[in-house]
């Protein structure tokens, strides 16, 4: 339940950053700002923002449904980080390694 809540807040914070904050997290990871991403990149960024609140909603059901919400968020985050690393390099930080580390910690 806690991680679902945190992912829900994270999704909203990421959406705010993409739309109003200059895409600071994407830029730090080595990608261009949201508005400069290709359409597929923008779609993946929007999906990343949406799975946070979805994970929050699923966490309220508990059990396997909650677990699936966390897995979905983690998968989208790792997939997006891999896409950034593959397309743009590592930037100030390696987004793929960081995403794996974060999701590994969540899985503990």
């Amino acid at each position: 339940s806690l991680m679902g809540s945190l992912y829900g807040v994270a999704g909203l914070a990421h959406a705010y950053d993409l739309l109003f904050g200059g895409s600071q997290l994407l830029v730090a990871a080595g990608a261009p700002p949201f508005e400069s991403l290709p359409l597929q990149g923008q779609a993946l960024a929007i999906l990343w923002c949406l799975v946070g609140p979805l994970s929050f909603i699923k966490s309220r059901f508990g059990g396997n449904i909650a677990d699936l919400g966390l897995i979905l968020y983690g998968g989208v985050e790792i997939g997006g980080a891999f896409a950034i690393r593959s397309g743009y390099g590592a930037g100030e930080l390696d987004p793929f390694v960081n995403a794996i580390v974060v999701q590994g910690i969540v899985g503990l």
Side-chain angles (χ1 to χ4, degrees):
S1 179
L2 172 63
M3 285 312 304
S5 297
L6 293 174
Y7 281 167
V9 170
L12 297 175
H14 295 323
Y16 181 86
D17 179 49
L18 291 179
L19 299 174
F20 306 109
S23 306
Q24 297 301 310
L25 189 55
L26 285 179
V27 171
F34 175 74
E35 61 275 0
S36 298
L37 288 171
L39 187 58
Q40 304 94 318
Q42 289 180 349
L44 182 56
I46 291 169
L47 175 64
W48 179 47
C49 295
L50 292 175
V51 294
L54 180 63
S55 179
F56 169 75
I57 292 167
K58 287 180 173 284
S59 74
R60 299 301 168 232
F61 291 97
N64 289 338
I65 292 174
D67 291 343
L68 288 173
L70 299 178
I71 291 167
L72 176 64
Y73 185 92
V76 169
E77 184 167 86
I78 289 171
F82 182 76
I84 290 171
R85 182 183 186 198
S86 298
Y88 303 103
E92 296 174 24
L93 48 95
D94 187 331
F96 184 62
V97 171
N98 286 339
I100 289 173
V101 169
V102 167
Q103 296 311 316
I105 291 169
V106 168
L108 295 177

